[in-house]
Each structure stands twice: as C-alpha cells, then as structure tokens.
Amino acid sequence: MYRDHFITELRRRLPDDLPVGLCVLDDQMRVTDWNRTLAKWTGIDAEQIQSELLVDFYPHLKAPRYQQRLKDVLSKNLPVVFSAAIHKHFIPVQATESGRGLMYQETVAHPIPGFPGYVVITISDVTARYLQTEALR
C-alpha cells in the first residue's frame, strides 16, 4: 500500500515527459519507476524494468564506485553526483535527442523527502556542454 501511494504521489509531482531521465529505486536498488524519457533513451519500457534490480540490466553498476555512493544517498540522506567527466554513462543509451549514439550524462541520486528508503535518480544529457569543454582544453 505504501509503495502504491508513493508511486502515485511521485507521478503526480513529476511529469513523465521531462527532457530528463528519471528512475526511482528502493533501498534494495529495485526500480520502482522509470519515466518515458529513459524508456526512449534506453529502449527499455517501464513495464520491463519495474520491480527489477537495476544492476541486472546494467551490471557495471555493481562496481563499488557506484554501489557505495548509492548506499550513501540512503544512509547519509544527501544527494550524490555522478559527473560526466568520471561516470560518462551511468545508464547507457541507444541514442540522444540529436541522434548521437553516445550521451555524456550528469546523474544525480537524491533522497526523497518524506519517502525514506527511496532514491530518485535524474539523468541529464550534458553532451554538448561536455564536448565544448573538451574542445577548449
């Protein structure tokens, strides 16, 4: 019942068609929500991934550099940033809006106030900004 209320409330607050990927994980790192933007970017529909472990779809997320930081979001109740420079592809995508097959991402894992044990992950396409910065170097 709590989970149903959580998903209903979250969907009410966060529009599904934002140009940002949104994924909600529970404290076991199971996907409880996956927005249409992520479905479009990854080719994985919400129905395919909901209630599944994120690492079953993305095994590279088993690495300690990801696992510990995601656990820190829950235990320390603070957001964690996965930068494009270090973690280019938190969730690999099939294509970006511009048609590129490679997207540099800024990914932030946030605790959700009022919903302990849940993390919302936002993924932004920062490819243009990243490539501009690299060109200036």
Side-chain angles (χ1 to χ4, degrees), residues 1 14 18-21 30 34 36 38 47 53-54 70 84 88 96 101 110 113-115 117 121 134-135:
M1 183 64 145
L14 299 172
L18 290 173
V20 173
R30 289 191 189 282
W34 186 264
R36 277 186 272 212
L38 273 180
E47 295 78 29
L53 293 172
L54 189 62
L70 288 170
K88 291 176 181 66
T96 66
H110 305 265
F115 295 96
I121 295 175
E134 286 301 303

Side-chain angles (χ1 to χ4, degrees), residues 42-88:
T42 64
I44 299 171
D45 291 328
E47 295 78 29
Q48 292 175 272
I49 199 165
Q50 283 178 334
S51 301
E52 301 294 333
L53 293 172
L54 189 62
V55 296
D56 288 347
F57 285 78
Y58 301 103
H60 70 279
L61 295 177
K62 291 179 183 177
R65 70 182 181 152
Y66 293 107
Q67 287 292 303
Q68 188 56 53
R69 296 185 82 209
L70 288 170
K71 288 177 184 173
D72 284 349
V73 174
L74 292 168
S75 65
K76 297 178 181 175
N77 205 33
L78 295 171
V80 171
V81 176
F82 297 93
S83 72
I86 299 169
H87 311 94
K88 291 176 181 66

Side-chain angles (χ1 to χ4, degrees), residues 73-135:
V73 174
L74 292 168
S75 65
K76 297 178 181 175
N77 205 33
L78 295 171
V80 171
V81 176
F82 297 93
S83 72
I86 299 169
H87 311 94
K88 291 176 181 66
H89 315 290
F90 186 85
I91 292 181
V93 300
Q94 291 182 342
T96 66
E97 291 293 323
S98 64
R100 287 190 215 97
L102 177 65
M103 175 196 292
Y104 290 94
Q105 305 166 1
E106 182 173 88
T107 303
V108 183
H110 305 265
I112 304 173
F115 295 96
Y118 288 91
V119 173
V120 64
I121 295 175
T122 59
I123 300 173
S124 302
D125 181 353
V126 295
T127 305
R129 185 174 68 201
Y130 182 82
L131 293 176
Q132 275 183 327
T133 303
E134 286 301 303

Side-chain angles (χ1 to χ4, degrees), residues 3 6-12 14 16 22-26 30-36 38 46 49-51 54 118-121:
R3 181 182 181 280
F6 168 75
I7 296 300
T8 301
E9 184 65 16
L10 182 66
R11 285 189 177 137
R12 186 181 69 74
L14 299 172
D16 205 28
L22 293 173
C23 172
V24 178
L25 303 175
D26 67 13
R30 289 191 189 282
V31 176
T32 63
D33 206 17
W34 186 264
N35 77 343
R36 277 186 272 212
L38 273 180
I49 199 165
Q50 283 178 334
S51 301
L54 189 62
Y118 288 91
V119 173
V120 64
I121 295 175

